């Protein structure tokens, strides 16, 4: 095997392993941290339950997909039915983590090419379901800020206890801000050693201006 291909496969397996830590090592430190984050989000929400949760970061490559997956796993482990949605049309990751087909998925569903039940797939983790990104679209912002997306979230909330959306980095694309007002809460992830104070503040201000209810922040120590 080509050494470059071997290294890529090794890196891919490492990403999958980290992204599924809360499942593969439920007694480990990472799983415990995400259980704490899960509980803290609900405490922060106090009176209003957070049914739909959007996960983003200031820039790409800071680990938001890993955070979204592990957070969703921790919710499923508590007994909730959880739908994990890849809303990152520009750089989808969840199909790679779960070794699933990228399409059909969210974009196909929003385009009316299939129904909700056909688009969602069960994962090997009990209680956790996946909606991949689907085919890449040039009008991704318009798709996320649409009546069809609002209706999809309503359908998802009626079918699942929690909906977790993995979204693009807020400072690199307008997609995320087009979606935040449709979700009950937003979690903002920062990467230690990469996210500057200025970028963190800019991301928070951008989300708040778009109407986001920021219920928590995560400091990630490893890049993904």
């Amino acid at each position: 095997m080509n050494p470059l291909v071997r290294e890529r496969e090794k890196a891919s397996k490492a990403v999958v392993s980290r992204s599924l830590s809360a499942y593969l090592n439920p007694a480990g430190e990472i799983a415990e941290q995400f259980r704490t984050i899960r509980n803290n989000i609900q405490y922060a929400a106090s009176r209003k339950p957070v049914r739909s949760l959007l996960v983003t970061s200031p820039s790409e490559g800071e680990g938001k997909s890993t955070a979204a997956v592990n957070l969703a796993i921790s919710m499923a482990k508590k007994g909730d039915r959880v739908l994990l949605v890849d809303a990152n049309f520009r750089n989808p990751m969840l199909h790679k983590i779960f070794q699933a087909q990228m399409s059909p998925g969210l974009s196909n569903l929003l385009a009316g090419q299939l129904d909700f039940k056909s688009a969602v797939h069960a994962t090997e983790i009990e209680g956790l379901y996946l909606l991949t990104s689907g085919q890449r679209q040039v009008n991704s912002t318009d798709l996320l800020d649409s009546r069809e997306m609002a209706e999809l979230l309503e359908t998802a909330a009626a079918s699942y206890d929690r909906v977790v959306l993995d979204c693009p980095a807020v400072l690199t694309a307008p997609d995320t801000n087009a979606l935040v007002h449709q979700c009950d809460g937003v979690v903002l992830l920062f990467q230690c050693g990469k996210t500057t104070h200025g970028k963190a503040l800019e991301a928070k201000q951008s989300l708040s201006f778009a109407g986001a209810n920021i219920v928590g922040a995560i400091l990630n120590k490893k890049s993904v």
Side-chain angles (χ1 to χ4, degrees), residues 158-213:
S159 305
Y160 297 89
D161 300 305
R162 310 286 179 188
V163 181
V164 178
L165 297 98
D166 178 24
C167 290
V170 66
L171 298 182
T172 60
D175 300 24
T176 299
N177 278 349
L179 190 57
V180 294
H181 67 281
Q182 301 184 53
C183 297
D184 295 330
V186 173
V187 170
L188 186 54
L189 182 133
F190 307 120
Q191 183 184 317
C192 184
K194 179 177 180 178
T195 308
T196 64
H197 180 269
K199 290 294 184 182
L201 183 60
E202 185 181 354
K204 180 179 181 297
Q205 291 174 335
S206 178
L207 288 167
S208 298
F209 183 77
N213 174 30

Side-chain angles (χ1 to χ4, degrees), residues 11 55 70 86 93 95 104 120 132 190 192 202 204 207 217:
V55 180
N70 281 291
D86 196 334
M93 283 293 297
H95 68 285
V120 174
T132 57
F190 307 120
C192 184
E202 185 181 354
K204 180 179 181 297
L207 288 167

Side-chain angles (χ1 to χ4, degrees), residues 4 21 102:
L4 182 58
S21 293
M102 183 176 74

Side-chain angles (χ1 to χ4, degrees), residues 121-136:
H121 302 284
T123 70
E124 62 183 270
I125 302 168
E126 184 177 359
L128 181 61
Y129 298 81
L130 176 66
L131 177 57
T132 57
S133 65
Q135 296 172 334
R136 285 185 168 87

